[in-house]
Amino acid sequence: MSTASGRDTHVWRQPSPPAPPFDPGAPPGGPGAEASDARLIHASMTRPEEFSGVFDRHADEIHAYASRRLGPDHADDVTAETFLVAFRKRHRYDLARDDARPWLYGIAANLISGHRRSEVRRLRALARSPHEAGDRGSHEEERGAERASAAALRPALAAALARLSAAERDLLLLIAWADLSYEEAAEALGIPIGTVRSRLHRTRARLRRHLPSFQEYAS
């Protein structure tokens, strides 16, 4: 995958020396077991091509999230840039964390922040669109907003999401659409778990005010 500027994101596929014998996060099952993300990232320090395992494991999920947030036009670039940034910053990764999903979602959220206006314009357009007309991402968005009381609520939900602050929307959608736990969302956004709880409580309250038939979203 390449960015719009033509930069090749598969830079980790270049040959390099063997990895050191110690691999943090190595699975207990031995050589035949699936490597954790931490193990792949550690190995990629000296064998950059190993990072392709992280890409193969998580790229589709990150792409789907970016597409829900920004639409398909921006999803390719955000996904490519997410893994390019992750590769360049892999030496900062906490190898005690086997699962790199929160880290990758945090990078993606930061990149999406550069498209805030596009996201809000898209949400407002969805809010103005009759439900019957739909759009290319309507089915996926309805699945991501499965806690809405009815499918016909989608335009109203889009309007409510557009009214949220960037920080509120980031947190809500990391939990509702990316299915991160509170702890993982805190890790992704670099905020304390207490902030996650209080911010999410306020965000739910705002959604309920704008959507009277709305029950629980991102529980």
Side-chain angles (χ1 to χ4, degrees):
M1 185 183 298
S2 300
T3 64
S5 60
R7 290 175 291 177
D8 185 5
T9 63
H10 296 281
V11 294
W12 51 81
R13 299 187 185 276
Q14 299 300 319
S16 55
F22 174 68
D23 286 343
E34 184 179 28
S36 68
D37 293 334
R39 186 186 182 196
L40 292 172
I41 292 169
H42 175 72
S44 76
M45 298 298 182
T46 52
R47 290 170 50 193
E49 69 274 12
E50 293 289 341
F51 198 82
S52 64
V54 179
F55 178 90
D56 293 340
R57 187 174 292 169
H58 300 296
D60 288 346
E61 185 177 347
I62 296 295
H63 187 277
Y65 178 74
S67 184
R68 288 173 183 174
R69 294 286 303 265
L70 300 173
D73 291 343
H74 294 293
D76 286 351
D77 284 348
V78 167
T79 303
E81 288 292 336
T82 294
F83 285 91
L84 183 59
V85 170
F87 177 77
R88 288 173 173 170
K89 296 185 175 181
R90 69 195 189 283
H91 62 283
R92 302 181 187 175
Y93 184 74
D94 181 359
L95 295 175
R97 300 182 183 276
D98 286 345
D99 186 359
R101 287 175 70 250
W103 179 59
L104 294 170
Y105 272 112
I107 295 172
N110 187 57
L111 291 169
I112 288 171
S113 70
H115 298 273
R116 295 293 185 203
R117 292 182 180 178
S118 295
E119 181 179 28
V120 171
R121 282 197 301 268
R122 181 170 185 268
L123 288 170
R124 288 173 178 168
L126 289 172
R128 292 191 299 269
S129 300
H131 174 68
E132 294 77 14
D135 69 290
R136 286 185 293 176
S138 62
H139 177 65
E140 285 301 312
E141 288 182 62
E142 285 162 14
R143 290 184 60 194
E146 70 275 10
R147 293 177 180 84
S149 60
L153 188 62
R154 188 178 66 83
L157 177 59
L161 291 176
R163 294 188 187 103
L164 298 177
S165 70
E168 290 171 332
R169 194 162 51 245
D170 278 344
L171 175 58
L172 180 72
L173 298 184
L174 281 174
I175 291 175
W177 289 356
D179 200 27
L180 296 189
S181 67
Y182 287 12
E183 292 77 10
E184 289 171 334
E187 178 189 343
L189 297 175
I191 58 178
I193 186 69
T195 301
V196 168
R197 296 183 188 281
S198 60
R199 184 178 296 169
L200 190 59
H201 176 77
R202 292 194 303 269
T203 302
R204 286 173 175 163
R206 290 192 64 186
L207 285 174
R208 291 190 190 102
R209 287 198 298 272
H210 292 299
L211 304 171
S213 60
F214 194 76
Q215 298 302 317
E216 277 298 320
Y217 186 62
S219 61

